[in-house]
């Protein structure tokens, strides 16, 4: 229709893309001024890389549950990676953030039948927060406006089993593994009187403690939670079935 070098039709598109990429910085600036202000910023789903991800906190949790049901039943969606790649080149708007374990058997994108750009995933053996994890999740909340954080533990977690042995057998570990164990032992100690299955009790306690700690240790996360723009939940991944049991 027109010469590509002279065509001005491309200009509005370029400008829109610039504005989209600037949006994250604008949100970050607003966040630093207080999340109360950010909560009033309207979300224009049409301008987001994945408009379908602009959901409420309750809808985000429901979407995680429905995705997990598909994964459990083996009827997963077909993900159009080539289309997603193009849409995501200019930005991201995931519908949930995950604090999960590094365990190779627990892969969040599979577990919740989600594509790229859907989940903002932080993983460390034992799924607990430290300063770096907290900073990453604060970024997800303040800049990417994720409406939900899931602390995802799992059965037979090796990191928490190590912390259990540190307490019950005075086990010691080489290198930086000891640092992981030290971070997990408070949750084990809390349930150390458990007679039946100390490991299972510690896994659940660790999830609950980190759900609480996210708000307790982060002003950004606490304010978003209090404003109702963020839900924080915990869940346990069952290894044999793939089912995630969400904690009440
Ligand atoms: Zn684990």
């Amino acid at each position: 229709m027109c010469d590509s070098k002279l065509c001005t039709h491309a200009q509005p598109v370029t400008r829109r893309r610039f504005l989209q990429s600037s949006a994250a910085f604008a949100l970050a600036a607003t966040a630093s001024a207080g999340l109360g202000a950010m909560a009033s910023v309207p979300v224009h789903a049409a301008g987001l890389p994945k408009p379908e991800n602009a959901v409420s906190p309750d809808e985000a949790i429901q979407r995680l549950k429905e995705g997990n049901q598909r994964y459990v039943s083996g009827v997963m969606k077909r993900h159009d990676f080539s289309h997603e790649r193009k849409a995501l080149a200019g930005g991201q708007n995931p519908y949930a953030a995950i604090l999960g374990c590094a365990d190779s058997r627990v892969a969040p994108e599979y577990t919740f039948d989600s594509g790229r750009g859907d989940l903002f995933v932080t993983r460390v053996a034992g799924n607990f927060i430290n300063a770096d994890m907290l900073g990453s999740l604060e970024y997800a909340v303040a800049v990417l406006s994720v409406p939900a954080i899931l602390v995802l533990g799992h059965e037979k977690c090796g990191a928490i089993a190590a912390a259990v042995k540190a307490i019950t057998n005075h086990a010691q570990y080489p290198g930086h593994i000891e640092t992981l164990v030290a971070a997990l032992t408070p949750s084990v100690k809390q349930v150390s009187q458990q007679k039946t299955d100390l490991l299972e009790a510690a896994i659940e306690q660790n999830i609950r403690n980190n759900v609480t700690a996210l708000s307790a240790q982060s002003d950004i996360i606490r304010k978003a939670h209090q404003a109702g723009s963020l839900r924080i939940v915990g869940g346990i991944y069952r290894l044999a079935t793939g089912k995630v049991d969400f904690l009440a």
Side-chain angles (χ1 to χ4, degrees):
M1 293 294 286
C2 57
D3 186 299
S4 62
K5 286 178 187 168
L6 301 173
C7 182
T8 54
H9 293 165
Q11 198 177 347
V13 176
T14 307
R15 178 173 157 72
R16 190 170 74 235
R17 282 191 184 145
F18 170 76
L19 290 172
Q20 281 171 7
S21 62
S22 304
F25 295 102
L27 277 173
T30 316
S32 67
L35 279 171
M38 194 185 79
S40 63
V41 174
V43 175
H44 299 294
L48 297 169
K50 294 191 117 177
E52 70 276 20
N53 283 0
V55 293
S56 71
D58 287 348
E59 287 168 339
I61 303 298
Q62 186 58 29
R63 194 161 158 193
L64 289 170
K65 289 178 178 176
E66 288 173 2
N68 182 239
Q69 279 170 7
R70 290 196 300 276
Y71 171 70
V72 169
S73 63
V75 188
M76 295 165 83
K77 280 184 183 172
R78 185 179 181 278
H79 294 282
D80 181 357
F81 290 117
S82 60
H83 172 71
E84 284 182 348
R85 212 175 288 135
K86 200 172 178 183
L88 292 167
Q92 58 170 324
N93 64 310
Y95 74 85
I98 310 264
L99 171 61
C101 182
D103 194 298
S104 66
R105 299 167 294 180
V106 188
E109 280 84 357
Y110 288 140
T111 300
F112 301 105
D113 189 22
S114 293
R116 293 179 317 117
D118 286 339
L119 299 176
F120 187 93
V121 180
T122 59
R123 294 176 74 171
V124 63
N127 47 271
F128 66 93
I129 54 165
N130 56 21
D132 299 323
M133 287 290 166
L134 208 46
S136 299
L137 292 167
E138 285 179 342
Y139 175 84
V141 171
V143 181
L144 304 180
S145 302
V146 293
I149 298 177
L150 169 64
V151 179
L152 181 62
H154 67 98
E155 289 179 318
K156 297 177 181 152
C157 181
I160 297 177
V164 168
K165 283 177 193 156
I167 288 174
T168 57
N169 300 343
H170 305 288
Q172 291 186 322
Y173 303 93
H176 293 79
I177 298 172
E178 198 67 53
T179 312
L180 288 177
V181 169
L184 297 167
T185 47
S187 293
V188 180
K189 282 180 183 167
Q190 268 182 276
V191 292
S192 60
Q193 300 309 310
Q194 189 87 17
K195 295 284 185 272
T196 51
D197 193 331
L198 177 54
L199 176 57
E200 283 303 300
I203 286 167
E204 183 173 329
Q205 190 62 47
N206 179 55
I207 294 168
R208 293 190 186 283
N209 286 350
N210 279 284
V211 166
T212 306
L214 280 167
S215 280
Q217 295 184 27
S218 164
D219 287 346
I220 289 173
I221 290 172
R222 182 173 61 256
K223 285 174 182 171
H225 189 228
Q226 287 172 344
S229 58
L230 174 72
R231 267 187 74 183
I232 308 170
V233 296
I236 301 179
Y237 179 90
R238 305 295 175 192
L239 290 175
T241 62
K243 188 173 189 306
V244 173
D245 288 327
F246 285 79
L247 301 182

